């Protein structure tokens, strides 16, 4: 897919200005441009870093819309334009609100911690979670939307994934609080796209949204998803140590190699961060989540950790990924200690 690669990208800032930005991650290619990082066979992560200064607060209270557009999506996406998707534009955007900091404080967009590509198997539950983390502790909510091809323009002929080979066993839902998308279950092999708007709020005030466009590849295979054991909700007083084992297992025979990972805001903190070591090995596997909390971790919204157990199943001589993943979301509410010495 070298012709689909983008060593540079046009970014529009929403204030009438734009810049062409070169890729900034990975080792240099023969032209001296960083190559990007391969995260899967034929799938690369490209980063484009640039600084832009806006002229002032949002005009008319409307956000600055930062956007990029690519002339092509992957071909044969079943739920876009009847599968004729290759000449449909790929589009992403982020809304930027600029506020007087004396009134609203600082504001950062949510960081999406899970890559926007996943794999599934016909007849088996598929799950994905963008896992939005807001560094400011703002509330994050999720909404399914149509993938976009331009500013305010949905792709033509978009269908929900359940419209492809529909039936009583083909349903999906999105948890608007945690971002967990569950499809139970795909009935036809092929490529699919979904889009999720990741929104942030502070005291009921909308602070902007990020469009996350996700590619799902479904194949025919004899595989079942791993099982994942964790506690899913904790409420503790600041200063309490949280420590438990997450356990992933796979019931398929022969025994499969599994990978157990965790992502979330507590793992990114500079002040007493949580720890979790990603592990890979023959099922069952486990790793310990540990977080020594303190009063700096008190906030209105729960902290979210997303655990992911993924098997390593390939077919067609190892050329086709038929792996499955199970997600579990842990919400941690940290409250202040009680009043003492009154």
């Amino acid at each position: 897919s070298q012709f689909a690669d983008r060593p540079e990208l046009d970014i529009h800032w929403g204030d009438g200005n734009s810049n062409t930005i070169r890729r900034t991650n990975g080792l240099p290619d023969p032209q001296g441009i960083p190559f990007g990082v391969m995260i899967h066979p034929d799938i690369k992560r490209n980063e484009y870093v640039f600084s832009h200064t806006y002229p002032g607060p949002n005009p008319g209270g409307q956000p600055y819309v930062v956007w990029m557009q690519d002339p092509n999506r992957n071909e044969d996406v079943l739920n876009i334009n009847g599968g004729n998707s290759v000449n449909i534009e790929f589009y992403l955007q982020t809304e930027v609100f600029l506020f007087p900091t004396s009134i609203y404080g600082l504001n950062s967009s949510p960081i999406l911690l899970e890559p926007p590509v996943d794999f599934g198997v016909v007849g088996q539950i598929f799950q994905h979670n963008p896992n939005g983390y807001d560094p400011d502790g703002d509330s994050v909510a999720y909404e399914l939307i149509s993938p976009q091809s331009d500013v305010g323009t949905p792709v033509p002929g978009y269908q929900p994934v359940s419209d492809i080979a529909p039936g009583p066993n083909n349903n999906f839902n999105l948890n608007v609080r945690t971002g967990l998308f569950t499809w139970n279950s795909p009935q036809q092999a092929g490529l699919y796209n979904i889009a999720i708007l990741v929104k942030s709020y502070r005291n009921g005030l909308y602070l902007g949204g990020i469009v996350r466009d996700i590619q799902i590849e479904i194949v025919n295979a004899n595989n079942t998803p791993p099982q994942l054991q964790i506690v899913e909700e904790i409420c503790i007083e600041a200063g309490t140590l949280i420590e438990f084992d997450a356990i992933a297992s796979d019931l398929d025979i022969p025994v499969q190699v599994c990978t157990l990972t965790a992502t979330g805001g507590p793992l990114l903190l500079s002040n007493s961060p949580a720890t979790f070591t990603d592990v890979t090995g023959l099922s069952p596997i486990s790793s310990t989540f540990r977080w020594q909390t303190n009063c700096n971790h008190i906030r209105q919204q729960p902290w979210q950790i997303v655990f992911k157990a993924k098997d390593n199943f390939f077919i067609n001589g190892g050329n086709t990924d038929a792996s499955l993943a199970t997600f579990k979301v842990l919400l941690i509410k940290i409250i202040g200690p009680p009043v003492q010495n009154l």
Side-chain angles (χ1 to χ4, degrees), residues 29-58:
D29 63 13
Q31 287 73 43
I33 303 174
F35 180 75
V37 176
M38 301 301 298
I39 62 173
H40 191 273
D42 209 32
I43 298 176
K44 184 190 291 186
R45 175 186 177 93
N46 290 338
E47 298 178 6
Y48 310 84
V49 179
F50 197 82
S51 295
H52 177 72
T53 302
Y54 284 95
N58 303 86

Side-chain angles (χ1 to χ4, degrees), residues 141-187:
Y142 302 85
E143 177 187 350
L144 273 174
I145 62 173
S146 169
Q148 308 290 298
S149 61
D150 204 340
V151 180
T153 307
V155 295
Y158 179 70
Q159 296 175 276
V161 293
S162 58
D163 282 5
I164 308 300
N169 297 321
N170 190 348
N171 300 283
F172 67 88
N173 65 76
L174 176 72
N175 187 314
V176 298
R177 182 185 183 198
T178 67
L180 182 61
F181 175 84
T182 302
W183 182 8
N184 187 13
S185 57
Q187 299 297 308

Side-chain angles (χ1 to χ4, degrees), residues 3-4 12 15 17 21 31 42 62 80 86 88 93 102 123 169 226 272 325-326:
F3 300 111
H12 301 260
D15 60 357
N17 296 304
I21 307 170
Q31 287 73 43
D42 209 32
Q62 297 301 308
I80 291 180
V86 69
I88 304 300
Q93 73 172 43
S102 60
N169 297 321
S272 187
T326 298

Side-chain angles (χ1 to χ4, degrees), residues 243-279:
E243 189 170 28
F244 63 89
D245 288 339
I247 303 172
S249 57
D250 193 287
L251 302 180
D252 290 305
I253 302 295
V255 176
Q256 294 189 27
V257 172
C258 289
T259 298
L260 176 59
T261 59
T263 55
L267 296 163
L268 304 176
L269 296 174
S270 57
N271 182 316
S272 187
T275 59
F276 184 87
T277 301
D278 297 345
V279 293

Side-chain angles (χ1 to χ4, degrees), residues 10-275:
D10 292 334
I11 299 293
H12 301 260
W13 303 106
D15 60 357
N17 296 304
S18 64
N19 290 97
T20 299
I21 307 170
R22 283 193 166 189
R23 184 168 50 210
T24 56
N25 65 320
L27 296 174
D29 63 13
Q31 287 73 43
I33 303 174
F35 180 75
V37 176
M38 301 301 298
I39 62 173
H40 191 273
D42 209 32
I43 298 176
K44 184 190 291 186
R45 175 186 177 93
N46 290 338
E47 298 178 6
Y48 310 84
V49 179
F50 197 82
S51 295
H52 177 72
T53 302
Y54 284 95
N58 303 86
Q62 297 301 308
Y64 294 110
V65 177
V66 182
W67 60 273
M68 59 78 59
Q69 185 185 55
D70 189 281
N72 303 100
R73 287 181 175 265
N74 283 348
E75 62 182 357
D76 301 326
V77 177
L78 296 179
N79 63 328
I80 291 180
N81 201 33
N84 300 308
S85 56
V86 69
N87 290 318
I88 304 300
E89 294 86 353
F90 176 77
Y91 172 88
L92 295 175
Q93 73 172 43
T94 294
E95 294 174 319
V96 176
F97 279 92
L98 302 179
F99 304 109
T101 56
S102 60
I103 300 176
Y104 298 104
L106 299 175
N107 180 43
S108 299
S109 299
I111 302 169
L112 307 185
L113 300 176
E114 187 68 24
V117 59
D118 240 323
F119 302 87
V121 169
V122 170
Q124 298 292 335
I125 294 175
F126 169 86
Q127 290 187 315
H128 181 85
N129 195 322
N131 194 11
Y133 160 60
D134 194 293
D136 306 314
D138 295 322
S139 176
V140 178
Y142 302 85
E143 177 187 350
L144 273 174
I145 62 173
S146 169
Q148 308 290 298
S149 61
D150 204 340
V151 180
T153 307
V155 295
Y158 179 70
Q159 296 175 276
V161 293
S162 58
D163 282 5
I164 308 300
N169 297 321
N170 190 348
N171 300 283
F172 67 88
N173 65 76
L174 176 72
N175 187 314
V176 298
R177 182 185 183 198
T178 67
L180 182 61
F181 175 84
T182 302
W183 182 8
N184 187 13
S185 57
Q187 299 297 308
Q188 182 174 328
L191 291 179
Y192 298 80
N193 273 167
I194 62 171
I196 297 177
L197 179 63
V198 184
K199 303 177 287 186
S200 62
Y201 293 87
R202 183 179 302 170
N203 298 322
L205 178 67
Y206 179 63
L207 298 181
I210 302 171
V211 173
R212 165 53 64 92
D213 196 298
I214 300 158
Q215 175 183 289
I216 304 169
E217 183 174 355
I218 303 296
V219 300
N220 288 300
N222 185 20
N223 191 24
T224 59
Q227 297 181 351
L228 182 54
Q229 301 174 43
I230 64 159
V231 60
E232 297 186 38
E233 196 158 3
I234 295 174
C235 182
I236 52 97
E237 178 184 311
T240 302
L241 173 66
I242 301 173
E243 189 170 28
F244 63 89
D245 288 339
I247 303 172
S249 57
D250 193 287
L251 302 180
D252 290 305
I253 302 295
V255 176
Q256 294 189 27
V257 172
C258 289
T259 298
L260 176 59
T261 59
T263 55
L267 296 163
L268 304 176
L269 296 174
S270 57
N271 182 316
S272 187
T275 59

